[in-house]
């Protein structure tokens, strides 16, 4: 098995070719990869079934298994994501600002690839395809390291994608998958300063902690999603019930699902009994006011840990607040900077919320589930950044490029 450094060197060499590849060449490879995924769906599903069976036998949770499991529809979605990315405008070569200095120098900014984008991720085999697609279209080599739980799936998907690259005349090493899933290999992967231009982790708190402790390459954190929905005194309660139910139950195992519901005290007596039937099957924990309205049999006491927890499951924390100030304070204390929503018909309340809440995405009268690269029109996303430097929010093509200054002169020298 090649060393991590050898694999990184191969990705770096491929990145130099990709940086000059035309949009037509990249799009052709993406479409070929999409077609080949559909053609080889049985092989991909067979490999995935082995992963699911092994993880199920090892006692993996329902959330882990849901993220790991592929279906014909999910593979079709992966292929569709590649086609969507192919249809998007290519950011590489885009000329931004331009100006001329008094000495005649003409300065402009041009968008260029990052180079080698390394992604380390847990049991989500669809990330293999999504990361490949976005990296390729933005002119970057994808250097991938998945988890042991999804290794057969990842190897199968990567094999299909590499075959499509070769058929399209681009270097197979535009996608390099690390098959060593040991912890030692993961740490070495995070330290490939010679070869990696940006590292993006996709996983839970333990992976993020490992990045913070071990990485020596530049990284963008795809952090936890402790997301809130605040139902204001001026909310349309029917709309609020729809939004809360969707944000919590549409797919609870993902980072943009709501984990805490905040309700203005003025509408709590009416809204909580209205929304509770929409949350059938959801474990509820809450403060004393919530338990007083919905009953102690339906709502268990919320702990300090619950307010700060990303459940990634059918569990919701509920708190009754005295107003917008208390809601914003609660989010500031417990939020993770991912996605926060307000339901209100009060324009001033909405404006205050969007201005004062510090998060990658703030929504007014819409479900947190919309904070997603595809829903934003970016195509398949590579992650949702919860930090503030370089990229914030869903990371699509543009966030996988940077700017280069191009300066044109006619012999000017500095005196």
């Amino acid at each position: 098995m090649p060393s991590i450094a050898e694999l990184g060197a191969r990705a770096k060499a491929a990145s130099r070719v990709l940086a000059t590849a035309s949009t037509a060449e990249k799009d052709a490879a993406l479409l070929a990869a999409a077609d080949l995924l559909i053609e080889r769906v049985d092989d991909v599903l067979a490999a995935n079934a082995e992963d699911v069976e092994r993880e199920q036998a090892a006692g993996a949770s329902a959330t882990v298994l849901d993220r790991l499991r592929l279906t014909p529809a999910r593979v079709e979605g992966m292929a569709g994501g590649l086609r969507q990315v192919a249809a998007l405008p290519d950011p590489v070569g885009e000329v931004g600002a331009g100006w001329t200095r008094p000495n005649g120098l003409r300065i402009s900014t041009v968008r260029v690839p990052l180079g080698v984008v390394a992604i380390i991720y847990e049991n989500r085999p669809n990330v293999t395809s999504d990361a490949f697609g976005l990296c390729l279209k933005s002119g970057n080599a994808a250097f991938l390291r998945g988890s042991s739980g999804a290794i057969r799936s990842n190897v199968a998907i990567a094999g299909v994608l590499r075959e499509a690259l070769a058929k399209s005349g681009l270097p197979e090493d535009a996608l390099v998958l690390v098959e060593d899933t040991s912890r030692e290999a993961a740490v070495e992967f995070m330290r490939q300063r010679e070869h990696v231009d940006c590292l993006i982790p996709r996983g839970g708190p333990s992976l993020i902690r490992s990045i913070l402790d071990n990485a020596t390459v530049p990284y963008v954190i795809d952090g936890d999603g402790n997301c809130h929905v605040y139902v204001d005194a001026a909310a349309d309660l029917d709309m609020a019930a729809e939004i809360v139910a969707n944000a919590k139950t549409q797919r609870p195992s993902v980072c943009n699902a709501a984990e805490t519901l905040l309700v203005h005290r003025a509408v709590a007596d009416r809204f909580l009994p209205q929304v509770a039937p929409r949350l059938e099957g959801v474990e509820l924990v809450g403060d004393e006011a919530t338990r007083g309205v919905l009953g102690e049999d339906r709502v268990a006491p919320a702990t300090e840990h619950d307010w700060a927890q990303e459940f990634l499951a059918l569990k919701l924390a509920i708190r009754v607040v005295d107003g917008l100030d208390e809601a914003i304070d609660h989010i500031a204390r417990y939020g993770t900077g991912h996605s926060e929503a307000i339901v209100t018909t009060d324009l001033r309340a909405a404006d205050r919320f969007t201005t004062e809440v510090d998060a990658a995405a703030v929504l007014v009268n819409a479900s947190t589930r919309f904070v997603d690269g595809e829903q934003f029109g970016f195509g398949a996303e590579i992650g949702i950044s919860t930090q503030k430097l370089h990229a914030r929010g869903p990371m699509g093509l543009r966030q996988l490029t940077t700017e280069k200054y191009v300066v044109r002169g006619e012999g000017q020298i500095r005196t």
Side-chain angles (χ1 to χ4, degrees):
M1 185 179 294
S3 69
I4 303 295
E6 289 170 337
L7 294 173
R10 283 166 43 185
K12 193 69 172 180
S15 74
R16 291 193 288 271
V17 177
L18 293 177
T20 60
S22 69
T23 301
E25 289 174 316
K26 294 184 288 188
D27 289 347
L30 288 167
L31 295 174
D35 291 342
L36 203 56
L37 271 177
I38 299 303
E39 184 180 322
R40 302 284 173 77
V41 63
D42 290 341
D43 295 337
V44 171
L45 292 179
N48 179 251
E50 293 183 36
D51 287 332
V52 171
E53 183 179 358
R54 183 186 61 252
E55 293 302 293
Q56 200 163 24
S61 69
T63 296
V64 169
L65 293 175
D66 175 62
R67 291 181 170 186
L68 173 61
R69 184 177 287 110
L70 293 177
T71 64
R74 288 187 178 182
V75 175
E76 178 65 50
M78 290 160 57
L82 294 175
R83 295 189 184 103
Q84 285 182 327
V85 171
L88 293 170
D90 188 346
V92 178
E94 175 186 304
V95 178
W99 62 97
T100 301
R101 298 293 297 145
N103 62 3
L105 287 178
R106 289 168 289 133
I107 304 173
S108 61
T109 59
V110 179
R111 197 153 286 280
V112 296
L114 293 173
V116 175
V117 176
I119 299 100
I120 185 167
Y121 52 109
E122 296 180 345
N123 288 8
R124 293 183 178 184
N126 63 293
V127 172
T128 304
S129 174
D130 293 349
F132 159 79
L134 286 168
C135 286
L136 180 63
K137 183 64 180 264
S138 55
N140 299 293
F143 190 24
L144 310 181
R145 195 273 187 186
S147 67
S148 59
I151 185 60
R152 293 185 184 275
S153 306
N154 291 335
V155 168
I157 295 166
V160 171
L161 301 177
R162 285 171 59 87
E163 183 178 339
L165 285 164
K167 287 182 175 181
S168 303
L170 290 178
E172 289 183 78
D173 287 337
L175 187 161
V176 175
L177 177 71
V178 175
E179 297 184 30
D180 185 343
T181 59
S182 67
R183 184 184 182 281
E184 292 76 17
V187 172
E188 187 178 354
F189 183 79
M190 301 173 194
R191 295 178 174 175
Q192 293 299 306
R193 289 185 62 87
E194 186 177 349
H195 305 124
V196 170
D197 296 285
C198 181
L199 171 64
I200 303 171
R202 295 287 304 271
S206 61
L207 176 59
I208 301 304
R209 173 49 55 191
S210 183
I211 294 290
L212 297 174
D213 289 344
N214 297 299
T216 59
V217 300
Y219 53 79
V220 176
I221 294 295
D222 176 30
D224 292 350
N226 186 18
C227 306
H228 301 73
V229 177
Y230 166 57
V231 178
D232 188 44
D236 177 324
L237 299 187
D238 291 335
M239 176 195 293
E242 289 282 343
I243 289 171
V244 170
N246 180 263
K248 180 68 262 181
T249 67
Q250 197 260 346
R251 195 175 179 194
S253 63
V254 292
C255 62
N256 58 14
E259 306 292 21
T260 297
L261 168 62
L262 304 173
V263 182
H264 195 294
R265 194 172 303 277
V267 296
D269 288 346
R270 286 181 290 146
F271 179 68
L272 290 175
Q274 181 178 347
V275 75
R278 304 292 303 276
L279 299 172
E280 194 66 37
V282 178
E283 178 188 353
L284 302 181
V285 297
D287 62 358
E288 288 306 310
T290 301
R291 300 184 76 210
V293 174
L294 294 181
E296 295 183 0
D297 291 340
R298 178 70 176 96
V299 184
T303 66
E304 185 72 10
H305 177 72
D306 289 326
W307 302 126
Q309 181 71 10
E310 183 187 28
F311 299 121
L312 299 175
L314 286 172
K315 183 175 181 179
L316 181 69
I318 306 176
R319 181 180 178 187
V320 175
V321 296
D322 288 331
L324 182 59
D325 287 336
E326 190 175 351
I328 292 173
D329 287 345
H330 181 100
I331 293 169
R333 179 173 180 180
Y334 298 107
T336 53
H338 194 292
S339 305
E340 310 293 357
I342 182 174
V343 185
T344 187
T345 59
D346 183 338
L347 181 59
R348 286 178 296 180
D351 286 346
R352 273 200 61 203
F353 191 86
T354 59
T355 299
E356 296 181 29
V357 169
D358 185 14
V362 186
L363 304 98
V364 178
N365 297 330
S367 170
T368 56
R369 287 285 290 118
F370 283 109
V371 182
D372 172 87
E374 184 174 349
Q375 294 295 320
F376 278 22
F378 298 166
E381 72 187 22
I382 206 162
I384 298 178
S385 169
T386 55
Q387 64 187 52
K388 299 181 182 181
L389 296 180
H390 167 60
R392 195 180 193 195
M395 294 182 63
L397 292 174
R398 192 173 186 83
Q399 290 73 30
L400 293 179
T401 61
T402 187
E403 286 187 334
K404 173 190 292 184
Y405 286 96
V406 176
V407 182
R408 301 182 186 275
E410 297 172 336
Q412 290 92 332
I413 61 172
R414 185 170 177 176
T415 58

